[in-house]
């Protein structure tokens, strides 16, 4: 899929530049898109040293009016707290006294999300200079921030311009690059889930959006060892893939293009306050990487079945009523904030008793072709594990300071989390989710 044709279909991002030495064009791009405007750089102390100083100097030499930069000292770790958004807004407002101060995010996940939301509240587009191939959120809409004590995705558009210099990407901590590789690899499991959702009629595949991401994954993920070692060319491909994923989400208007069941594990762990051994939150990409392995294990177990194993009459007879489902969701989710919302959410995605038999019959009749189509997209568990290991990604709950049994229990919570059809829902509708999960729990080869 050609980048130019993609950019024509999105409303927010106007330019994406990934090339060696592109940091030297930062002032040129700013003047092109915001002629006559003031710039205010936002960075942390690490990203300021690797890129911010250079960008500031180039903009100064180009005669761009510059506000005092906002630089967050790290360590300690910079958290995506809404209070920082307010600080950035106050600094930008004080600097210009008008509407012409454009924010320039110099960094990756947290810095980008803070600037993204601050720019939205200021009513302005912004410029992002990526410093790590660490996540797909650069050019996606919305920012994951903690507000009023609860992590939530807040409304805000993607940056108008994104620049990344692979030479700078290669200087990022190897863990950040591995996290980005894991986030990009999640598009494999997300693609498999979308195939299931398309087959059941829950969420038909948008072919244009599919073609932005799925046909390119093999190329983007082709050299996990090099990406994990910080090779600039490999990271350039990873960064491209992450941003194409973000653009796909922009086109579709939601995250289905880049997010499946694997992300639901991460969301559950985040809501439970999961932290690493150092007491800091585990990166999104690392949580998603372990989520990929959870999903890959479930796919392997579900597709061990033959069509003759699908007893439509027996499944139909045991199919839970809406009231039974409400009680199940309550038991699984009542320890989470605002858990009552999950009852209504699961009612919305519940396949009515009057329709489930037709759904099951379709699944049984097309089981072999469905399995073949999914397997063409999603490799088996050992293959996924080998690829992620090579990139330095975690593949077991213990790798991210997570108890294995608690991680396995997450299958049940994750299935209730979103109204998005995935392998979790297929297993639940087939009445085999519990059986598959317990097989995974009792097999030391998994997780």
């Amino acid at each position: 899929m050609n980048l130019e044709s993609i950019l024509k279909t999105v409303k927010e991002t106007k330019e994406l530049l990934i090339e060696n030495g592109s940091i030297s064009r930062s002032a040129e791009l700013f003047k092109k898109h915001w002629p006559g405007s003031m710039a205010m750089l936002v960075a942390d102390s690490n990203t300021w040293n690797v890129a911010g100083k250079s960008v500031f100097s180039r903009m100064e030499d180009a005669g761009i009016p510059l506000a005092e930069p906002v630089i967050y000292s790290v360590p300690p770790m910079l958290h995506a707290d809404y209070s920082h958004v307010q600080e950035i807004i106050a600094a930008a407002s004080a600097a210009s006294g008008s509407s012409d101060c454009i924010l320039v995010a110099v960094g990756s996940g947290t810095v980008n999300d803070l600037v993204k939301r601050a720019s939205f509240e200021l009513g302005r587009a912004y410029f992002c200079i990526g410093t790590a191939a660490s996540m797909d959120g650069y050019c996606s809409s919305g920012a994951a921030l903690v507000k009023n004590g609860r992590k939530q995705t807040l409304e805000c558009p993607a940056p108008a311009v994104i620049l990344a210099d692979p030479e700078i990407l290669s200087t990022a901590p190897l863990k950040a690059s591995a996290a980005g590789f894991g986030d990009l690899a999640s598009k494999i499991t997300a693609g498999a889930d979308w195939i299931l959702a398309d087959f059941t009629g829950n969420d038909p595949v948008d072919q244009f959006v599919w073609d932005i991401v799925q046909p390119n994954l093999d190329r983007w993920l082709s050299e996990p060892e090099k990406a994990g070692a910080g090779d600039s060319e490999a990271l350039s491909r990873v960064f491209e893939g992450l941003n194409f994923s973000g653009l796909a989400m922009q086109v579709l208007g939601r995250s289905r293009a880049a997010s499946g069941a694997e992300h639901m594990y991460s969301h559950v762990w985040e809501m439970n306050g999961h932290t690493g051994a150092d007491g800091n939150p585990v990166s999104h990409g690392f949580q998603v990487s372990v989520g990929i392995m959870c999903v890959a294990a479930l796919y392997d177990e579900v597709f061990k079945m033959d069509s003759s194993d699908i007893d439509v009459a027996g499944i139909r007879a045991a199919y839970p009523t809406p009231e039974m489902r409400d009680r199940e969701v309550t038991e699984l989710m009542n320890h989470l904030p605002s858990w009552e919302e999950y009852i209504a959410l699961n009612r919305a995605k519940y396949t009515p008793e009057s329709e489930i038999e037709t759904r099951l019959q379709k699944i049984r009749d097309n089981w072999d072709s469905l399995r073949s189509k999914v397997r063409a997209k999603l490799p088996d568990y050992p293959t996924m594990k080998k690829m992620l290991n090579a990139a330095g990604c975690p593949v077991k709950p213990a790798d991210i300071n997570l108890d294995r049994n608690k991680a396995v229990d997450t299958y049940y919570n994750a299935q209730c989390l979103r109204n998005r059809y995935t392998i979790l829902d297929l297993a639940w509708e087939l009445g085999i989710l519990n059986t598959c999960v317990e097989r995974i729990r009792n097999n030391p080869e998994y997780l």
Side-chain angles (χ1 to χ4, degrees):
M1 178 72 68
N2 180 275
L3 176 59
E4 185 179 354
S5 64
I6 299 170
L7 291 175
K8 287 179 180 177
T9 67
V10 299
K11 296 179 180 178
E12 298 160 9
T13 302
K14 307 302 180 187
E15 190 159 355
L16 169 62
L17 179 63
I18 310 167
E19 63 180 39
N20 288 327
S22 59
I23 198 75
S24 66
R25 297 183 58 191
S26 52
E28 170 196 335
L29 286 176
F30 186 90
K31 293 179 81 170
K32 172 184 173 182
H33 291 275
W34 295 280
S37 293
M38 172 183 286
M40 189 179 88
L41 276 62
V42 180
D44 65 36
S45 51
N46 289 332
T47 62
W48 177 256
N49 287 329
V50 300
K53 284 181 182 178
S54 174
V55 172
F56 189 90
S57 176
R58 293 176 188 281
M59 289 188 171
E60 190 173 43
D61 291 345
I64 295 170
L66 289 163
E68 187 71 20
V70 174
I71 305 170
Y72 290 97
S73 180
V74 292
M77 183 177 181
L78 176 62
H79 293 285
D81 194 278
Y82 182 74
S83 62
H84 297 317
V85 173
Q86 295 172 309
E87 293 165 359
I88 294 167
I89 291 171
S93 299
S96 65
S98 65
S99 61
D100 69 344
C101 186
I102 302 300
L103 300 181
V104 181
V106 183
S108 55
T110 299
V111 169
N112 185 53
D113 277 350
L114 295 173
V115 172
K116 188 183 293 188
R117 178 65 187 191
S119 295
F120 168 73
E121 294 196 17
L122 287 165
R124 307 166 199 173
Y126 79 102
F127 186 6
C128 177
I129 297 174
T131 58
S134 56
M135 48 93 208
D136 66 8
Y138 281 109
C139 61
S140 63
S141 302
L145 300 168
V146 176
K147 186 177 183 182
N148 299 324
R150 184 166 66 92
K151 189 163 188 178
Q152 50 195 297
T153 299
L154 301 180
E155 177 189 1
C156 42
V161 182
I162 303 169
L163 177 153
D165 189 327
E167 295 172 357
I168 290 174
L169 298 180
S170 68
T171 68
L174 295 183
K175 282 189 174 182
S177 300
F181 190 95
D183 202 4
L184 183 57
S186 74
K187 313 323 168 199
I188 300 174
T189 42
D193 281 340
W194 205 358
I195 289 171
L196 298 182
D198 180 79
F199 172 80
T200 58
N202 281 276
D203 196 348
V205 165
D206 181 306
Q207 195 61 48
F208 181 83
V209 172
W210 177 274
D211 289 345
I212 293 174
V213 177
Q214 295 298 327
N216 300 304
L217 284 170
D218 286 346
R219 177 174 64 85
W220 291 331
L221 298 168
S222 62
E223 296 184 299
E225 295 90 350
K226 288 187 176 181
D231 178 80
S232 61
E233 289 186 13
L235 290 177
S236 177
R237 288 191 292 274
V238 171
F239 192 88
E240 178 182 285
L242 290 168
N243 281 275
F244 271 50
S245 299
L247 291 170
M249 288 187 274
Q250 277 194 52
V251 174
L252 193 63
R254 50 199 174 90
S255 62
R256 164 64 88 172
S259 171
E262 74 294 320
H263 275 70
M264 298 179 199
Y265 292 84
S266 172
H267 297 328
V268 170
W269 297 331
E270 283 184 349
M271 287 190 290
N272 283 323
H274 171 237
T275 60
D278 61 0
N280 287 316
V282 175
S283 71
H284 172 74
F286 274 14
Q287 287 186 335
V288 166
S289 181
V290 177
I292 290 170
M293 299 314 303
C294 293
V295 172
L298 183 58
Y299 266 103
D300 279 9
E301 287 300 319
V302 169
F303 281 116
K304 284 179 180 177
M305 291 177 62
D306 291 323
S307 58
S308 59
D309 298 324
I310 302 175
D311 176 9
V312 173
I315 299 170
R316 172 68 183 85
Y319 191 66
T321 64
E323 292 75 22
M324 293 167 63
R325 180 58 174 159
D326 288 351
R327 290 194 292 273
E328 181 180 32
V329 172
T330 297
E331 183 178 347
L332 289 168
M333 308 300 278
N334 65 10
H335 66 288
L336 295 172
S338 306
W339 67 268
E340 294 91 348
E341 297 173 7
Y342 296 109
I343 295 176
L345 182 153
N346 280 274
R347 277 288 184 108
K349 77 170 182 174
Y350 175 84
T351 302
E353 296 168 272
S354 60
E355 299 175 15
I356 191 62
E357 187 168 350
T358 302
R359 165 80 59 81
L360 293 168
Q361 190 68 52
K362 180 182 179 184
I363 291 170
R364 187 180 69 177
D365 291 347
N366 296 276
W367 186 251
D368 290 342
S369 62
L370 178 62
R371 176 167 50 192
S372 296
K373 191 171 185 180
V374 167
R375 277 301 173 210
K377 166 51 55 184
L378 175 64
D380 62 14
Y381 183 93
T383 303
M384 292 296 290
K385 180 179 180 180
K386 181 180 179 181
M387 179 182 69
L388 291 172
N389 254 330
C393 299
V395 293
K396 298 182 295 184
D399 294 338
I400 59 169
N401 195 41
L402 192 62
D403 177 79
R404 183 178 184 274
N405 269 323
K406 288 183 179 178
V408 173
D409 287 341
T410 307
Y411 282 95
Y412 302 113
N413 307 118
Q415 195 272 324
C416 300
L417 192 69
R418 295 196 68 176
N419 187 359
R420 172 170 294 173
Y421 199 91
T422 71
I423 185 61
L424 293 163
D425 300 298
L426 176 64
W428 187 85
E429 290 187 341
L430 289 171
I432 61 170
L433 179 61
N434 185 67
T435 300
C436 290
V437 171
E438 295 313 307
R439 285 177 182 166
I440 292 166
R441 191 190 305 274
N442 294 322
N443 185 344
E445 295 299 314
Y446 289 131
L447 305 178

